[in-house]
């Protein structure tokens, strides 16, 4: 099942079912008005949503309409909680080597995670408004899971059962602002503006055998200004989503609608390219002695997509520009 949220002049939008080929949509408001409402009542509403999905994919939904991804908000336009991990250790190892950083104690057995701002997510085709090109504008391709209520102290195996939907995001970063915030020990704030989400949130079964061990076993295709940038594979997470959820829930409950991110998808194999500019710059520093690639400028475009084994887009594409924020 694939779900999306359409713009309707309300902050939380209109929940719709999407066909597997992402061409058609069906109003789901008879079951749940918003995705937040749906995930809070998942046991009750999932069978009804699945029935609508089955009808839509069978071509039997008389009220189906053409899906326009430009009208999509983030599937969950605002979240009570957004926690982002750094589950691909190859990314951290590159940064450590490039900047001659001290190793982080226990990083190989305790996930890194920070609590981000979830009140203003962007749609897949929305512009990314930012105040300055001098803040080191970067994209970051990631996978994300949305959970129902997770009890405190939940194990990693149990945590997998709480994953209801999988999403794909561009976690925008401002690299010039990040170093100071990291040094304070308080975590990111200004360095992490609003993240952007691919149109569809999908149930794990949509991935088939590409969903294994709490990981998305598919490449994330990234293009910058029409040029290939990378296709790192999601299978190489050092910590699966079950471990990330368990980490976040060690000392507290996670309420339904919490989003947990993988961090930048990264592979040790250089031929896979990268899902963020900072990683390419780190590789250049290691191999050439200095970073050669600049960060994004206003008007630059980033495109991300994930394709299943049948060649169809699973989440729909993120395709957006960076623009000057208007006062």
């Amino acid at each position: 099942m694939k779900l999306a949220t359409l713009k309707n002049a309300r902050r939380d939008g209109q929940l719709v079912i999407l066909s597997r080929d992402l061409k058609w949509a069906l109003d789901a408001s008879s079951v749940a008005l918003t995705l937040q409402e749906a995930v809070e009542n998942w046991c009750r509403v999932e069978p009804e949503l699945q029935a609508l999905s089955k009808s839509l994919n069978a071509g039997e939904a008389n009220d189906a309409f053409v899906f326009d991804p430009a009208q999509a908000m983030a599937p969950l336009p605002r979240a009570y909680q957004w926690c982002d991990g750094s589950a691909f250790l190859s990314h951290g190892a590159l940064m450590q080597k490039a900047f001659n950083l001290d190793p982080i104690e226990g990083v190989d057995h305790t996930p890194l995670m920070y609590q981000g701002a979830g009140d203003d997510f962007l749609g897949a085709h929305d512009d990314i408004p930012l105040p300055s090109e001098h803040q080191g504008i970067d994209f970051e391709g990631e996978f994300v899971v949305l959970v129902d209520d997770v009890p405190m102290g939940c194990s990693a195996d149990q945590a997998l059962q709480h994953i209801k939907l999988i999403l794909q995001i561009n976690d925008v970063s401002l690299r010039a602002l990040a170093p100071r915030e990291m040094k304070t020990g308080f975590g990111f704030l200004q360095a992490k503006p609003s993240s952007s989400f691919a149109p569809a949130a999908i149930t794990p079964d949509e991935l088939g055998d590409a969903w294994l061990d709490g990981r998305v076993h598919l490449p994330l295709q990234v293009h910058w200004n029409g040029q290939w940038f990378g296709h790192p594979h999601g299978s190489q997470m050092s910590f699966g989503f079950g471990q990330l959820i368990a980490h976040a829930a060690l000392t507290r409950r996670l309420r339904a609608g919490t989003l947990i991110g993988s961090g930048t998808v990264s592979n040790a194999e250089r031929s896979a390219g990268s899902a963020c500019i900072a990683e390419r710059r780190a590789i250049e520093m290691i191999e050439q002695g200095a970073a050669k690639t600049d960060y994004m400028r206003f008007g630059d475009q980033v495109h991300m997509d994930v394709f299943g084994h049948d060649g169809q887009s699973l989440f729909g594409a993120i395709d957006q520009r960076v623009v000057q924020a208007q006062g």
Side-chain angles (χ1 to χ4, degrees), residues 21-248:
D21 61 8
L22 303 176
K23 293 180 179 179
W24 297 94
L26 183 65
D27 182 13
S29 61
S30 62
V31 179
L33 293 175
T34 67
L35 186 55
Q36 181 63 39
E37 179 185 340
V39 74
E40 287 177 354
N41 301 280
W42 195 255
C43 289
R44 176 178 61 82
V45 306
E46 184 190 15
E48 298 177 68
L49 292 173
Q50 289 282 10
L52 290 176
S53 177
K54 182 178 179 180
S55 173
L56 178 62
N57 284 298
E60 300 170 351
N62 294 330
D63 296 331
F65 55 93
V66 175
F67 173 60
D68 179 4
Q71 294 303 309
M73 305 174 74
L76 191 66
R78 50 180 177 166
Y80 289 117
Q81 182 162 228
W82 157 230
C83 297
D84 199 12
S86 184
F88 292 85
L89 293 186
S90 58
H91 175 74
L94 276 173
M95 296 300 163
Q96 180 183 325
K97 184 174 182 179
F99 293 98
N100 195 28
L101 301 173
D102 292 331
I104 299 173
E105 183 179 354
V107 71
D108 56 341
H109 56 76
T110 302
L112 297 175
M113 186 174 288
Y114 75 94
Q115 192 167 34
D119 60 315
D120 186 31
F121 293 135
L122 301 176
H125 289 221
D126 292 344
D127 288 340
I128 305 168
L130 293 169
S132 173
E133 291 181 335
H134 302 295
Q135 293 173 337
I137 303 169
D138 199 356
F139 50 79
E140 287 193 63
E142 303 188 20
F143 294 109
V144 177
V145 295
L146 183 148
V147 300
D148 62 4
D149 288 319
V150 179
M152 180 171 59
C154 182
S155 71
D157 287 341
Q158 293 170 333
L160 291 174
Q161 305 308 310
H162 292 282
I163 296 173
K164 301 307 168 191
L165 295 165
I166 304 168
L167 306 91
Q168 194 270 307
I169 76 166
N170 172 20
D171 183 42
V172 183
S173 295
L174 301 178
R175 300 299 186 182
L177 302 181
R180 178 189 176 277
E181 293 190 328
M182 287 189 287
K183 287 178 182 178
T184 66
F186 278 80
F188 298 119
L189 182 66
Q190 293 176 337
K192 288 291 185 178
S194 298
S195 298
S196 307
F197 283 70
I202 70 175
T203 49
D205 61 287
E206 291 289 336
L207 288 168
D209 61 6
W211 177 246
L212 181 66
D213 299 327
R215 295 164 172 83
V216 178
H217 286 245
L218 291 169
L220 171 59
Q221 305 287 342
V222 182
H223 289 78
W224 179 15
N225 291 331
Q227 299 297 313
W228 176 87
F229 196 83
H231 56 247
H233 207 274
S235 64
Q236 295 189 28
M237 287 175 74
S238 301
F239 302 98
F241 276 112
Q243 293 166 287
L244 295 181
I245 295 165
H247 176 79

